[in-house]
Amino acid sequence: MTMAGGRRGLVAPQNTFLENIVRRSNDTNFVLGNAQIVDWPIVYSNDGFCKLSGYHRAEVMQKSSTCSFMYGELTDKDTIDKVRQTFENYEMNSFEILMYKKNSWGKFARLTRALTSSRGVLQQLAPSVQKGENVHKHSRLAEVLQLGSEILPQYKQEAPKTPPHIILHYCVFKTTWDWIILILTFYTAILVPYNVSFKTKQNNVAWLVVDSIVDVIFLVDIVLNFHTTFVGPAGEVISDPKLIRMNYLKTWFVIDLLSCLPYDVINAFENVDEGISSLFSSLKVVRLLRLGRVARKLDHYIEYGAAVLVLLVCVFGLAAHWLACIWYSIGDYEVINEDTNTIRTESWLYQLGESIGTPYRFNTTGSGKWEGGPSKDSVYISSLYFTMTSLTSVGFGNIAPTTDGEKIFAVAMMMIGSLLYATIFGNVTTIFQQMYANTNRYHEMLNSVRDFLKLYQVPRGLSERVMDYIVSTWSMSRGIDTEKVLQICPKDMRADICVHLNRKVFKEHPAFRLASDGCLRALAMEFQTVHCAPGDLIYHAGESVDSLCFVVSGSLEVIQDDEVVAILGKGDVFGDVFWKESTLAQSCANVRALTYCDLHVIKREALQKVLEFYTAFSHSFSRNLILTYNLRKRVRTFIFNIGILQIIKRLSL
């Protein structure tokens, strides 16, 4: 159950082209090229292709999509010509061609099947190709990418999409449904203790129908939870059905299942044994575990003071209700001594019956037991009155504990009452101040930004980008000022934290493997973490390239002359080799975020300062760090169609 007001997750329109390609290709090894540029340069290579071919991704980028750099002496010349003609004529063909791994020119790899394709041609030829006689011989790519209208995802910004049977946790329907479940949960929390304590048997058809409907609704809620998105630990919206099911099974499924069993239906039958009936009545208490889900959602309402106050008062009232039910159960158990079949005249139940004119009486002619007494309504109201007066004060004495059991319970209730009273009523102001500290800062920042945008009449599109960036950045950082926290720590501790924050960069890139501990600490202190929203430009064409950027998550596109020349993802590096150049470079392309991205960036001056001090590391770094895309270099472009080269069979020596 995801309550209204919970996190929506990061839902701004994103370009998930790269993620969709990788997901649909499964374990297939491929390179992605752009046929709008001369020689159809490779703009993306997946890890599997790099592993099999022996080439680093940076070595593959910008080379021809025909993979001519993998041709050797025994590669068939006619097949090479056919591959090139396929690209030039925008066709889809399948070939057996011999290619070589890196550093294996003395030995040749086994024949590898390569298939080239064009977006427009694939969509037009897919139906006819699927009807061919020999499709099964050359259809590995077709199986992987499922040739048809969905052959390639559209390369555009789009809102997060979910499968048809998956419900967004923040949609209007789910929000309304969650409020219904919340109301029914409180209904259950009130009725279950009452029915168990007062031993009511649901013979009333109307109440039995209502409770059965509640059980059905809880059952439907279980089904919906198996098809509802949730927010992952990184703030992303998880819509994968398998992950949703596993997450629900590991969290609230068992409790939800136990809470929707039809205990009342079983308990309603007249011929059910009293012991079994009491057992099923007691099992209904399991439904109260659903309140745990409500408690976990209360943090989503901390920015609404009125809502928090109402919820706290409801909790106080609910506690009083539960204690009233327990108070009656103790009195009902002790008012009549079953062993001697006598009644305790000092009991508060006996005194209540005498005062309202419904006393207990002994049936001498029939059952020989005590009968009568106050009605259940009167008893419940009196019990609630006693618990309320005990929780909020010391009581008035008109209803007082007399037996040892009642006195022990009264003492425990007074202790609980003092804690509840102090927590809920005495410290409400303090609680609000603590809860609102971060929220107030967040809203003050948002209001300042809105006023700024309105004052300077910033265009609507740019305003939306600014607001989305602020909201997404806050969602990722939880409003924590990293720099402020680091300034509190001593230098040594600050360096350790920085190394931890940049551990992904240091572990993934071989250029840092030979760095000493002191060198890594010096580098880590200079790195900055940059969060980018979809559509943000990290570099503009003509801008000075004064930083080296490492992609930790998300995907970006490199655009030159309105053409995509590279797609960068996790593990890629872009910028300039300014440790080898004496002049500051100008960017020849734009670098724009396609999705929410996290970049670890180090400035030119800071990197050069570290390299000058650690000379041994400087040589290793210069030799091993390979830029995935060098913004200093410019590529030639002209118009064709987007193409994709698929390498299917594994290469081997």
Side-chain angles (χ1 to χ4, degrees):
M1 178 175 67
T2 304
M3 295 306 303
R7 286 192 300 157
R8 285 167 56 94
L10 303 180
V11 297
Q14 304 183 61
N15 189 325
T16 56
F17 176 80
L18 182 59
E19 286 79 355
N20 291 334
I21 284 288
V22 173
R23 185 179 68 253
R24 297 182 187 183
S25 62
N26 294 328
D27 59 347
T28 306
N29 311 308
F30 68 91
V31 292
L32 181 66
N34 189 340
Q36 297 179 340
I37 304 175
V38 176
D39 289 334
W40 317 285
I42 295 172
V43 298
Y44 179 78
S45 169
N46 78 332
D47 294 335
F49 177 85
C50 294
K51 182 178 179 180
L52 290 178
S53 65
Y55 287 90
H56 189 274
R57 182 182 296 171
E59 298 176 300
V60 174
M61 297 287 280
Q62 305 306 310
K63 293 186 181 295
S64 175
S65 295
T66 60
C67 287
S68 56
F69 59 95
M70 298 178 66
Y71 296 164
E73 297 177 357
L74 299 181
T75 305
D76 184 68
K77 300 297 187 283
D78 293 336
T79 306
I80 293 176
D81 293 337
K82 291 179 181 178
V83 171
R84 191 170 187 85
Q85 290 174 6
T86 298
F87 275 88
E88 292 175 348
N89 299 328
Y90 326 130
E91 298 174 348
M92 182 180 68
N93 287 309
S94 178
F95 305 103
E96 296 284 346
I97 185 171
L98 185 146
M99 291 184 177
Y100 291 77
K101 287 185 176 181
K102 183 182 180 181
N103 301 326
S104 62
W105 294 103
K107 303 177 181 179
F108 58 87
R110 61 185 177 138
L111 291 179
T112 302
R113 180 179 301 159
L115 184 149
T116 58
S117 64
S118 163
R119 175 186 292 275
V121 176
L122 282 176
Q123 293 179 348
Q124 295 174 7
L125 296 182
S128 60
V129 170
Q130 292 174 352
K131 297 179 181 178
E133 297 179 358
N134 298 322
V135 170
H136 64 282
K137 298 181 180 179
H138 311 287
S139 61
R140 174 58 179 157
L141 178 61
E143 293 174 3
V144 174
L145 295 182
Q146 299 177 351
L147 290 177
S149 61
E150 295 293 330
I151 179 63
L152 289 178
Q154 292 188 357
Y155 192 80
K156 67 177 184 179
Q157 299 239 349
E158 53 187 7
K161 292 184 178 179
T162 59
H165 60 284
I166 297 299
I167 304 172
L168 289 172
H169 64 277
Y170 55 84
C171 68
V172 176
F173 166 75
K174 194 61 173 65
T175 301
T176 305
W177 177 264
D178 287 340
W179 276 108
I180 295 175
I181 294 298
L182 176 62
I183 294 172
L184 294 181
T185 300
F186 275 106
Y187 165 83
T188 302
I190 294 172
L191 264 295
V192 166
Y194 180 85
N195 292 335
V196 172
S197 298
F198 288 84
K199 301 176 182 178
T200 59
K201 207 162 189 177
Q202 297 287 26
N203 294 325
N204 188 297
V205 177
W207 281 110
L208 185 60
V209 170
V210 171
D211 286 341
S212 300
I213 292 175
V214 172
D215 293 338
V216 171
I217 292 176
F218 282 159
L219 183 61
V220 173
D221 183 56
I222 293 178
V223 177
L224 291 180
N225 285 328
F226 275 115
H227 298 82
T228 303
T229 62
F230 67 96
V231 179
E236 75 282 10
V237 177
I238 306 299
S239 60
D240 182 79
K242 183 178 180 180
L243 294 178
I244 292 174
R245 291 193 293 268
M246 293 302 297
N247 178 72
Y248 184 51
L249 286 173
K250 292 178 181 179
T251 52
W252 291 99
F253 171 71
V254 175
I255 292 177
D256 288 349
L257 182 62
L258 291 175
S259 67
C260 71
L261 295 179
Y263 303 109
D264 290 324
V265 174
I266 301 175
N267 197 32
F269 294 103
E270 293 291 346
N271 58 351
V272 174
D273 182 78
E274 184 177 352
I276 298 178
S277 176
S278 300
L279 174 63
F280 278 105
S281 296
S282 302
L283 286 176
K284 290 191 293 184
V285 178
V286 176
R287 293 181 174 179
L288 299 182
L289 294 175
R290 293 185 69 95
L291 288 175
R293 299 183 66 183
V294 178
R296 291 187 59 191
K297 303 300 178 182
L298 294 183
D299 63 310
H300 299 316
Y301 295 91
I302 61 175
E303 60 180 302
Y304 306 107
V308 174
L309 185 59
V310 170
L311 287 173
L312 290 177
V313 172
C314 289
V315 169
F316 185 83
L318 197 60
H321 168 73
W322 291 352
L323 293 174
C325 293
I326 298 174
W327 171 252
Y328 166 74
S329 298
I330 296 174
D332 183 61
Y333 176 76
E334 294 184 341
V335 67
I336 299 175
N337 191 326
E338 298 291 343
D339 296 332
T340 60
N341 199 21
T342 58
I343 194 168
R344 294 178 177 176
T345 57
E346 71 277 10
S347 170
W348 71 273
L349 281 176
Y350 180 85
Q351 297 293 335
L352 177 65
E354 292 291 331
S355 63
I356 64 175
T358 56
Y360 287 90
R361 60 181 182 276
F362 186 76
N363 190 338
T364 57
T365 59
S367 61
K369 295 182 179 180
W370 288 92
E371 297 177 350
S375 65
K376 290 182 179 179
D377 293 340
S378 299
V379 169
Y380 173 74
I381 294 173
S382 300
S383 299
L384 186 62
Y385 166 76
F386 170 74
T387 55
M388 277 291 187
T389 56
S390 299
L391 290 175
T392 57
S393 62
V394 294
F396 298 111
N398 50 352
I399 297 179
T402 55
T403 66
D404 291 341
E406 292 175 347
K407 291 176 181 179
I408 293 174
F409 176 75
V411 170
M413 183 167 54
M414 291 176 186
M415 295 177 62
I416 296 173
S418 61
L419 179 62
L420 285 176
Y421 189 86
T423 302
I424 296 178
F425 295 104
N427 296 324
V428 167
T429 302
T430 304
I431 294 172
F432 282 158
Q433 288 177 347
Q434 293 175 348
M435 292 189 299
Y436 273 108
N438 254 4
T439 305
N440 286 339
R441 187 158 54 90
Y442 172 66
H443 286 292
E444 286 176 4
M445 180 181 63
L446 286 183
N447 292 333
S448 298
V449 173
R450 290 193 184 100
D451 293 339
F452 172 85
L453 297 175
K454 186 182 297 184
L455 176 63
Y456 292 99
Q457 298 180 353
V458 178
R460 180 178 179 181
L462 180 57
S463 298
E464 291 177 350
R465 285 179 53 202
V466 172
M467 295 302 297
D468 179 72
Y469 172 79
I470 293 175
V471 172
S472 62
T473 303
W474 186 278
S475 175
M476 298 299 295
S477 65
R478 304 295 189 272
I480 300 173
D481 188 343
T482 304
E483 292 298 327
K484 186 176 180 180
V485 174
L486 291 177
Q487 289 300 322
I488 300 174
C489 302
K491 181 180 178 180
D492 179 69
M493 189 181 298
R494 185 161 64 247
D496 289 338
I497 294 175
C498 290
V499 170
H500 174 75
L501 295 178
N502 295 282
R503 66 192 183 280
K504 293 183 179 179
V505 174
F506 296 150
K507 289 181 179 179
E508 291 179 357
H509 297 278
F512 299 102
R513 289 176 185 170
L514 298 181
S516 64
D517 182 65
C519 181
L520 283 181
R521 292 161 68 86
L523 284 170
M525 295 280 285
E526 302 296 343
F527 268 99
Q528 298 176 351
T529 301
V530 178
H531 176 71
C532 304
D536 287 351
L537 280 170
I538 292 85
Y539 274 109
H540 291 260
E543 187 178 25
S544 60
V545 184
D546 61 348
S547 301
L548 188 64
C549 302
F550 296 81
V551 183
V552 175
S553 64
S555 58
L556 309 94
E557 60 181 354
V558 182
I559 305 172
Q560 178 187 304
D561 300 331
D562 296 328
E563 301 297 340
V564 178
V565 295
I567 301 176
L568 307 176
K570 179 182 177 182
D572 287 332
V573 188
F574 64 93
D576 180 36
V577 287
F578 35 70
W579 55 92
K580 296 181 180 179
E581 305 288 347
S582 58
T583 60
L584 190 62
Q586 284 188 339
S587 177
C588 295
N590 295 324
V591 181
R592 182 168 59 194
L594 296 175
T595 64
Y596 290 100
C597 302
D598 285 320
L599 307 178
H600 287 223
V601 179
I602 185 169
K603 291 292 184 180
R604 178 175 183 266
E605 295 78 9
L607 179 60
Q608 288 179 335
K609 181 179 67 175
V610 175
L611 294 179
E612 288 174 2
F613 187 81
Y614 296 94
T615 54
F617 169 73
S618 175
H619 299 305
S620 172
F621 180 83
S622 178
R623 182 174 59 255
N624 294 323
L625 184 66
I626 303 176
L627 293 184
T628 309
Y629 193 89
N630 191 339
L631 295 176
R632 180 188 289 263
K633 296 182 179 180
R634 182 177 179 83
V635 297
R636 294 177 299 160
T637 61
F638 66 87
I639 298 177
F640 268 128
N641 290 318
I642 290 181
I644 183 173
L645 175 67
Q646 180 77 25
I647 303 299
I648 297 176
K649 287 189 174 179
R650 294 179 175 268
L651 303 175
S652 62
L653 292 175

